[in-house]
């Protein structure tokens, strides 16, 4: 069987955001730099120059690596649709580096494919739903704090891209808090504090 050609896809939301962390993950996975495609664009849709260029190259002997699901996009329905295009239409494989269960090279039988699709749908939905809830809670919290005359100090630690997917796995007792913190690149105490905040 012909060896799969490996590609990496990196997305950051704006020009001033740094893609170094995602690039390091791609290098650790052994992806040649010439095969890494980078978009500096919103994840609201898939009309992105480098992403579209990459998808055109994919075929049954290709595998695309992304660091986290939301690097593909932030819209649940569109993530599912793109996953279908890549795996069913292009017949390529996808590897989500921060989520080992989402590796379509594994378990190619019907059960394996079914389980992978279910995991994808659950995590995509949880991630999008959590973001919407957090946006609302943050807005309400800030408004209430300002009404009380609270002055805001230094910004909170930014959550890593895969935080909500990892939080879901930890909540379901699939992984330990130590493993969750490591996957997020956070101190164990920091992950636990953030988890308590968002699960309260």
């Amino acid at each position: 069987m012909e060896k799969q050609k490996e590609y990496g896809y990196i997305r950051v939301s704006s020009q001033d955001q740094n893609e170094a962390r995602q690039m390091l993950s791609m290098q650790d996975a052994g992806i040649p730099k010439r095969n890494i495609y980078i978009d500096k664009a919103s994840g609201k849709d898939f009309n992105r120059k480098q992403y579209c260029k990459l998808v055109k190259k994919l075929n049954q002997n290709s595998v695309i690596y992304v660091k986290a699901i939301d690097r593909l996009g932030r819209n649940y329905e569109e993530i599912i649709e793109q996953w279908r295009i890549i795996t069913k239409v292009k017949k390529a494989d996808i590897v989500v580096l921060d989520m080992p269960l989402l590796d379509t090279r594994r378990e190619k039988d019907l059960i394996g494919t079914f389980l992978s699709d279910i995991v994808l749908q659950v995590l995509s939905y949880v991630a999008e739903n959590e973001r919407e809830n957090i946006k609302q809670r943050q807005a309400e919290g800030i408004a209430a704090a300002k009404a009380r005359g609270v002055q805001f100090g230094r910004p909170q630690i930014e959550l890593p891209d895969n935080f909500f997917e990892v939080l879901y796995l930890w909540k379901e007792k699939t992984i330990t808090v130590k493993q969750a913190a490591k996957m997020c690149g956070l101190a164990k105490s920091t992950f636990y504090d953030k988890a308590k905040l968002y699960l309260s």
Side-chain angles (χ1 to χ4, degrees):
M1 185 179 176
E2 185 182 342
K3 186 180 183 298
Q4 285 184 305
K5 189 161 187 178
E6 298 178 319
Y7 297 97
Y9 179 68
I10 291 172
R11 183 186 66 78
V12 291
S13 297
S14 61
Q15 291 292 330
D16 58 351
Q17 282 189 323
N18 194 325
E19 67 274 13
R21 194 157 60 93
Q22 293 179 67
M23 182 64 81
L24 187 60
S25 294
M26 296 298 165
Q27 290 172 349
D28 288 345
I31 312 302
K33 195 169 182 179
R34 66 182 179 276
N35 289 353
I36 297 173
Y37 291 73
I38 303 172
D39 275 314
K40 295 195 173 185
S42 166
K44 66 181 181 180
D45 59 46
F46 283 85
N47 186 25
R48 303 177 220 130
K49 186 175 180 181
Q50 292 302 310
Y51 178 79
C52 293
K53 193 173 173 182
L54 171 57
V55 170
K56 284 180 182 176
K57 287 180 173 284
L58 299 178
N59 58 41
Q60 62 186 3
N61 289 316
S62 306
V63 55
I64 174 174
Y65 290 76
V66 293
K67 181 167 173 57
I69 290 173
D70 64 1
R71 295 307 85 200
L72 270 181
R74 290 187 178 275
N75 179 288
Y76 166 67
E77 290 182 355
E78 290 201 8
I79 292 173
I80 300 298
E81 174 62 10
Q82 290 300 313
W83 190 277
R84 185 193 68 78
I85 290 170
I86 292 169
T87 60
K88 305 294 195 298
V89 178
K90 293 287 187 173
K91 300 189 184 305
D93 281 311
I94 305 179
V95 177
V96 180
L97 294 170
D98 283 356
M99 200 57 53
L101 284 171
L102 292 177
D103 181 345
T104 63
R105 299 171 304 176
R106 300 169 52 194
E107 306 297 337
K108 287 288 191 179
D109 59 13
L110 186 61
I111 296 294
T113 302
F114 175 72
L115 288 175
S116 178
D117 287 349
I118 290 294
V119 171
L120 168 72
Q121 292 196 38
V122 169
L123 292 177
S124 299
Y125 174 77
V126 167
E128 183 179 0
N129 196 50
E130 280 299 313
R131 283 189 191 92
E132 292 305 315
N133 288 341
I134 286 163
K135 276 184 192 175
Q136 185 176 342
R137 288 201 295 269
Q138 284 178 334
E140 291 170 353
I142 289 169
K146 284 182 176 178
R148 295 195 306 270
V150 172
Q151 297 294 315
F152 290 92
R154 64 181 183 177
Q156 294 290 312
I157 295 172
E158 186 177 343
L159 294 176
D161 298 329
N162 65 331
F163 178 79
F164 300 110
E165 291 91 336
V166 174
L167 178 63
Y168 175 77
L169 291 179
W170 177 68
K171 182 183 173 186
E172 295 297 307
K173 296 184 170 52
T174 305
I175 56 175
T176 65
V177 68
K178 185 177 180 181
Q179 290 171 321
K182 186 176 180 182
M183 287 170 74
C184 287
L186 298 172
K188 190 165 81 169
S189 58
T190 303
F191 175 84
Y192 189 68
D193 287 344
K194 295 290 184 186
K196 282 197 301 184
L197 176 65
Y198 293 123
L199 292 175
S200 61

